[in-house]
Amino acid sequence: MKRSLPLAAAALGTAAASAAAPATAVAVPARVAAAATKYKGANVSYRYGSLSVTITKAKNKIASISVSYVPDTPRSSQLESLAIPELSKEAMKLKGWNVHTISGVSATSIAFRQSLYSAMGHADLLKR
Amino acid sequence: MTAFPGSGPNSSQTPISLAPGGFIPTTRDGLRHLEHVMGVPVMFDICGDPLRGKAALEAAVDWLHWADATFSTYRSDSEISRLNRGELAIADLHPDVAAVLARCAELKEETDGYFDIEAPYHSGPGSGVPEAGRGGPGSVEPSGVVKGWAVARVVRILREGGVANFLVNASGDVYAAGHPDGGSAWRVGIQHPRLAAEVVLTLALRDASVATSGMQARGEHIADPFDARVPSGLLAVTITGEDIATADAYATAAFAMGAQRAAAWCAGLKGYEAALFCEDDTVLTTPGLTRLRV
């Protein structure tokens, strides 16, 4: 999956004026994939559990990023009774990025960033 | 679309690839500016004539710094700090400060007491114990509404300066004025409450604000004002509507209510729409918010 600098810039909170990447997955060509190496970042605990970021390095750049996430909130059924007729309920989904700006809070970002930097360090991708 | 990995029974430690995409460029030849003020980054994207935009932006930024100096509880010489030390009477406050405090009192009513600027100083486990020099019981901490109120004033300053199409993003609270170059509405992504680099839903907004509250980087800073506990059942709350200070305060209050009470309260909102992100990885949305989704 082609996902290089636009994501990294966004994840690092720089919100740089990067060209919009197409909102479709692009298969990584076989010869690039063969040269790609995975680096796993530190497991970072935060409010909702812990996460670690794994990056794939190819051609001295981040080719893809994935996240492993372990929730520490027990999946309870306490909210199943939450039936308010006026509200609709659905599972949270991941939407592709195709936005001008982001509304959110930053606790998650910190853990993500720490693990991402750690993975970039392992991959020798941090600037010196 | 990928189901959130935390929602299945054997899903922990399942790596997911992040959804593809990126930021859409906001403006062809306008201005982008980042200003650090009030302890947060404030991002401006201004469409149209860059010269006109620059003049309006400078006026807006100057005003933000005045508001910071006047309201900050981190500055010992601000009007709020002097009020909290008893050095200023209500009657001596700048009219803007008095107006903000009056609005805070209204918001407390509108949120059934859950938006409470005196609450940070309540004692008890999990409550915001005041930092040294920041006042004690009876002090006010209006920062929760000042940021939104200041952005609303900035929106007015920019419009009076002849700018119609722009975005202001103050640390995740957004006002979207007019429309982007080459589009009819601003697309504002709501950050996934568990995965920072993900968007969980996208809203199309025009002359509207959106604010999100949840656990913040500085720790669990929103406490239930009635028992000072950290609220349960919710990961984050997003509110959209015309006034950004109201949206921000409503989001803070709904988050403090916890899932059950917030759902009932949000169902009765007028002019504002809500998305409640719950700990069981579901999202509850009001009908009006559903209509804004893209």
Side-chain angles (χ1 to χ4, degrees):
Chain A
M1 180 174 292
K2 186 182 176 187
R3 176 59 172 243
S4 54
L5 291 178
L7 168 76
L12 297 172
T14 57
S18 54
T24 48
V26 179
V28 179
R31 73 190 154 75
V32 178
T37 316
K38 283 180 187 284
Y39 296 89
K40 188 169 183 289
N43 199 47
V44 178
S45 295
Y46 68 118
R47 167 67 175 80
Y48 304 128
S50 61
L51 60 76
S52 66
V53 173
T54 300
I55 61 175
T56 306
K57 176 182 167 185
K59 291 185 174 174
N60 220 30
K61 282 184 182 171
I62 298 175
S64 72
I65 298 180
S66 70
V67 184
S68 292
Y69 168 75
V70 184
D72 68 358
T73 306
R75 298 274 159 252
S76 71
S77 58
Q78 57 159 350
L79 296 172
E80 282 171 14
S81 60
L82 204 60
I84 307 288
E86 293 85 356
L87 303 182
S88 58
K89 182 172 181 170
E90 63 189 281
M92 279 195 261
K93 302 268 177 62
L94 303 185
K95 297 274 290 177
W97 279 52
N98 188 19
V99 297
H100 294 104
T101 194
I102 296 281
S103 173
V105 293
S106 45
T108 333
S109 321
I110 303 286
F112 184 89
R113 222 176 290 187
Q114 282 175 349
S115 188
L116 177 63
Y117 279 137
S118 153
M120 288 172 75
H122 292 319
D124 206 23
L125 285 170
L126 288 178
K127 282 188 179 142
R128 279 170 298 247
Chain B
M1 267 196 264
T2 320
F4 178 69
S7 56
N10 302 311
S11 54
S12 57
Q13 289 289 22
T14 307
I16 49 156
S17 289
L18 301 181
F23 282 112
I24 307 168
T26 49
T27 165
R28 276 193 287 269
D29 50 13
L31 281 175
R32 289 171 62 84
H33 177 76
L34 178 65
E35 185 75 18
H36 286 274
V37 62
M38 299 189 184
V40 297
V42 182
M43 188 82 203
F44 296 86
D45 292 86
I46 297 176
C47 302
D49 178 1
L51 275 181
R52 176 183 292 178
K54 189 162 184 290
L57 174 67
E58 281 171 0
V61 166
D62 285 351
W63 186 84
L64 277 175
H65 284 283
W66 173 83
D68 190 17
T70 304
F71 284 94
S72 176
T73 50
Y74 289 91
R75 293 179 180 217
S76 62
D77 59 343
S78 74
E79 286 211 3
I80 296 295
S81 295
R82 291 166 65 204
L83 175 72
N84 282 342
R85 287 196 304 267
E87 296 167 15
L88 269 184
I90 297 281
D92 302 328
L93 295 173
H94 187 283
D96 281 346
V97 179
V100 166
L101 294 179
R103 180 66 189 133
C104 288
E106 290 173 3
L107 285 166
K108 185 175 176 180
E109 290 291 308
E110 291 167 22
T111 59
D112 301 338
Y114 276 84
F115 184 83
D116 186 352
I117 61 169
E118 295 181 22
Y121 301 106
H122 291 183
S123 57
S127 72
V129 175
E131 290 161 43
R134 295 189 65 210
S139 298
V140 294
E141 168 50 290
S143 304
V145 82
V146 167
K147 183 177 72 171
W149 172 82
V151 171
R153 178 69 65 90
V154 156
V155 168
R156 209 168 89 195
I157 292 169
L158 291 173
R159 282 184 172 142
E160 286 169 0
V163 179
N165 302 313
F166 58 88
L167 277 179
V168 182
N169 188 333
S171 187
D173 296 338
V174 175
Y175 191 89
H179 57 84
D181 288 343
S184 60
W186 293 101
R187 294 173 65 100
V188 181
I190 310 301
Q191 185 187 41
H192 193 292
R194 293 188 194 267
L195 295 169
E198 287 301 325
V199 169
V200 66
L201 56 87
T202 303
L203 303 178
L205 298 180
R206 209 185 149 110
D207 297 326
S209 64
V210 56
T212 301
S213 281
M215 294 300 174
Q216 302 259 355
R218 277 177 288 174
E220 300 178 341
H221 85 309
I222 299 175
D224 181 327
F226 295 107
D227 62 6
R229 281 182 304 128
V230 171
S232 67
L234 287 172
L235 301 171
V237 176
T238 293
I239 304 275
T240 181
E242 158 61 24
D243 178 54
I244 187 169
T246 304
D248 192 7
Y250 282 5
T252 304
F255 184 72
M257 289 177 192
Q260 298 281 354
R261 183 180 288 267
W265 183 75
C266 288
L269 285 177
K270 300 277 183 287
Y272 290 81
E273 305 296 339
L276 304 172
F277 300 97
C278 302
E279 283 187 338
D280 65 355
D281 289 319
T282 59
V283 55
L284 296 163
T285 50
T286 57
L289 188 124
T290 305
R291 285 193 290 275
L292 295 170
R293 287 175 70 171
V294 286

